[in-house]
Amino acid sequence: MKKILILGIGNVLYADEGIGVHFVNYIQDKYLFSHPSYQLDIIDGGTLAQSLIPLISQYDQLIVVDTVNSHHACAGEVFFFDFDHAPAEIDWQGSAHEVEMLQTLTMMDMVGDRPATQVLGVIPTVIEPMTLGLTPALIQAIPTMEKTLISYLSAQGVVFEQKASIQIEDVIPDAYKRGVNHEAHYSV
């Protein structure tokens, strides 16, 4: 059985830095996924980075959801790309957790443990300490991120069903309660 991991990365205490975590919690609460021969797991990885290596290495495919930086893009702009072919305008020297995740994936690649990796990234507006929530630009980016992820999974043969009518703001207040031990497994 092919195993796919959708991994949200970010620090929910720093406003837009938490988008990866908030987005995967939102997708997990909103949809049910199924595929006859794939296992799809959705996990909030927070800021664990290198601690996630044993978990990540168990998968055939990885989709990382996180902030990305670019000097040529505006806040809320969404990027979806293969990690091995990142667009030239993407700058990984953003927050500490971004650099750590880049180093984690690079280390895994060096030893041959990194699964095929895609990145669903969005340009943050502000990195504000001790702010639980997202700026309007990132809230407006959610439909694009959602459509991009659902389209990609559908192209892989994953079937989805909406189980709840929710908004991203509905999952933010409980983000700090979830974490890597709160995951969903979808397989048939």
Side-chain angles (χ1 to χ4, degrees):
M1 175 177 285
K2 183 176 180 179
K3 293 176 69 177
I4 301 171
L5 173 60
I6 301 173
L7 180 65
I9 297 294
N11 188 336
V12 298
L13 298 178
Y14 283 79
D16 288 354
E17 279 287 303
I19 186 66
V21 169
H22 297 314
F23 183 75
V24 297
N25 289 335
Y26 165 72
I27 291 297
Q28 181 176 305
D29 288 355
K30 187 170 181 176
Y31 294 102
L32 289 173
F33 297 96
S34 63
H35 190 281
S37 58
Y38 291 1
Q39 175 182 320
L40 175 67
D41 296 337
I42 301 173
I43 297 177
D44 160 2
T47 58
L48 296 175
Q50 294 176 8
S51 300
L52 295 169
I53 290 174
L55 176 75
I56 295 170
S57 65
Q58 298 174 33
Y59 290 86
D60 303 298
Q61 187 172 358
L62 171 66
I63 301 169
V64 176
V65 183
D66 197 358
T67 57
V68 294
N69 291 305
S70 171
H71 298 295
H72 308 291
C74 298
E77 191 169 333
V78 176
F79 290 85
F80 186 67
F81 56 90
D82 184 304
F83 179 77
D84 293 322
H85 305 287
E89 67 265 23
I90 295 296
D91 171 16
W92 294 99
Q93 302 305 312
S95 70
H97 88 261
E98 282 177 42
V99 173
E100 231 177 86
M101 194 64 209
L102 173 63
Q103 291 171 345
T104 298
L105 295 172
T106 301
M107 285 188 319
M108 291 182 75
D109 198 30
M110 289 170 49
V111 296
D113 283 346
R114 183 176 59 83
T117 304
Q118 279 72 38
V119 177
L120 176 58
V122 62
I123 306 295
T125 301
V126 66
I127 309 305
E128 189 66 40
M130 300 309 291
T131 302
L132 186 64
L134 299 171
T135 59
L138 261 64
I139 289 173
Q140 290 174 2
I142 295 301
T144 301
M145 293 176 71
E146 184 174 348
K147 181 180 177 187
T148 300
L149 180 64
I150 295 299
S151 294
Y152 178 78
L153 293 173
S154 293
Q156 304 297 311
V158 175
V159 177
F160 67 95
E161 173 187 337
Q162 186 172 329
K163 65 179 179 177
S165 180
I166 61 171
Q167 302 297 316
I168 190 82
E169 297 91 342
D170 297 332
V171 302
I172 291 173
D174 293 328
Y176 68 94
K177 297 178 185 176
R178 293 184 177 205
V180 78
N181 293 323
H182 180 79
E183 59 187 82
H185 300 282
Y186 301 98
S187 57
V188 177

